[in-house]
């Protein structure tokens, strides 16, 4: 991991990160200047030039964090964590002070089994109920769509807005008998500024969902 303080003119390695350590996602904190959230091997971490690297306390024993997204006020944070043999979704509603596992097999939970990758997107504004919307694109182990989900209450409950296994699959390349699932590699989900009930879902193709 490297840092530049002169608009990319020069770069310096960050002390404390090994060259062999996987770093999978970087997110700037929207409130605290110079603070970066780092998802990767072993844990979720934060980094500031003044304070260095700090471990973030997640729920349970986490071996890897694949994705992290943060609400515009810095309070709601969602992370995709590999823990206990599952691809968990963990959410904090107190700026990262604590995290709760919100995934599972329940009717209003986001799935955590038979998943190869999850990518999240966060709305830029709160919805009409006063919550941040969280969007999630779930990919099967084989790289095809498992489902697209939305939480309209800071991650407490989830609803599927696009199922997998059908004709809609933004992660599938090719057609007919010559198809190549690419969701493990190509998966982007994002909110749309000014429209909290919309999201963009990209893989091989780009789609927009509008409530």
């Amino acid at each position: 991991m490297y840092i530049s303080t002169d608009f990319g003119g020069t770069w310096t390695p960050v002390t404390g990160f090994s060259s062999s350590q996987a770093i999978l996602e970087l997110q700037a904190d929207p409130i605290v200047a110079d603070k970066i959230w780092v998802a990767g091997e072993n844990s979720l971490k934060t980094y500031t030039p003044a304070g260095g690297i700090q471990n973030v306390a997640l729920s349970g024993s986490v071996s890897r964090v694949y994705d992290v997204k943060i609400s515009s006020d810095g309070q709601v944070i969602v992370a995709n964590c590999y823990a206990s043999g599952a691809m968990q979704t963990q959410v904090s509603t107190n700026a990262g002070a604590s995290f709760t596992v919100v995934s599972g097999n329940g009717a209003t939970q986001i799935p955590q089994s038979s998943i190869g990758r999850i990518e999240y997107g966060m709305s830029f504004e709160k919805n009409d109920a006063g919550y941040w919307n969280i969007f999630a694109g779930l990919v099967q182990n084989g790289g095809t769509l498992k489902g697209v989900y939305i939480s309209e209450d800071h991650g407490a409950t989830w609803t599927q807005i696009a199922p997998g296994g059908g004709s809609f699959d933004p992660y599938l390349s090719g057609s007919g008998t010559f198809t190549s699932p690419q969701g493990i590699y190509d998966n982007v989900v994002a909110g749309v500024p000014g429209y909290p009930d919309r999201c963009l879902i990209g893989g091989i193709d780009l789609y927009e969902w509008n409530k």
Side-chain angles (χ1 to χ4, degrees):
M1 179 170 152
Y2 287 75
I3 183 172
S4 173
T5 58
D6 56 4
F7 302 101
T10 58
W11 294 82
T12 304
V14 173
T15 302
F17 282 101
S18 167
S19 60
S20 62
Q21 186 175 6
I23 295 176
L24 302 172
E25 184 81 19
L26 300 176
Q27 284 287 311
D29 192 283
I31 302 300
V32 182
D34 296 330
K35 182 177 181 178
I36 300 294
W37 294 76
V38 184
E41 199 168 346
N42 299 325
S43 181
L44 180 64
K45 304 176 187 295
T46 61
Y47 169 78
T48 61
I53 301 168
Q54 303 291 330
N55 286 320
V56 176
L58 296 164
S59 179
S61 179
V62 174
S63 60
R64 182 167 288 198
V65 180
Y66 289 93
D67 190 29
V68 59
K69 293 296 187 299
I70 309 169
S71 62
S72 298
D73 64 356
Q75 290 299 304
V76 178
I77 303 169
V78 59
N80 174 214
C81 309
Y82 186 76
S84 303
M87 291 286 273
Q88 294 180 349
T89 294
Q90 298 196 18
V91 172
S92 171
T93 58
N94 53 15
S98 62
F99 281 80
T100 301
V101 178
V102 297
S103 54
N105 298 318
T108 61
Q109 290 181 301
I110 184 171
Q112 63 178 21
S113 60
S114 301
I115 296 171
R117 182 177 175 185
I118 303 177
E119 188 74 16
Y120 305 106
M122 189 84 68
S123 63
F124 285 80
E125 298 85 20
K126 291 183 178 180
N127 59 31
D128 290 342
Y131 294 96
W132 299 101
N133 286 340
I134 308 174
F135 308 97
L138 279 63
V139 176
Q140 303 269 16
N141 287 322
T144 56
L145 176 68
K146 184 178 181 71
V148 181
Y149 288 76
I150 182 175
S151 172
E152 299 177 277
D153 53 9
H154 294 171
T157 61
W158 295 80
T159 303
Q160 187 183 79
I161 57 178
S167 58
F168 171 71
D169 194 330
Y171 311 123
L172 198 61
S173 174
S175 60
T177 57
F178 300 98
T179 58
S180 176
Q182 297 293 308
I184 300 295
Y185 314 101
D186 308 324
N187 187 2
V188 176
V189 179
V192 179
Y195 300 93
D197 294 325
R198 293 185 184 183
C199 73
L200 300 175
I201 307 156
I204 299 302
D205 299 306
L206 182 66
Y207 294 87
E208 181 187 44
W209 178 83
N210 186 356
K211 181 180 178 181

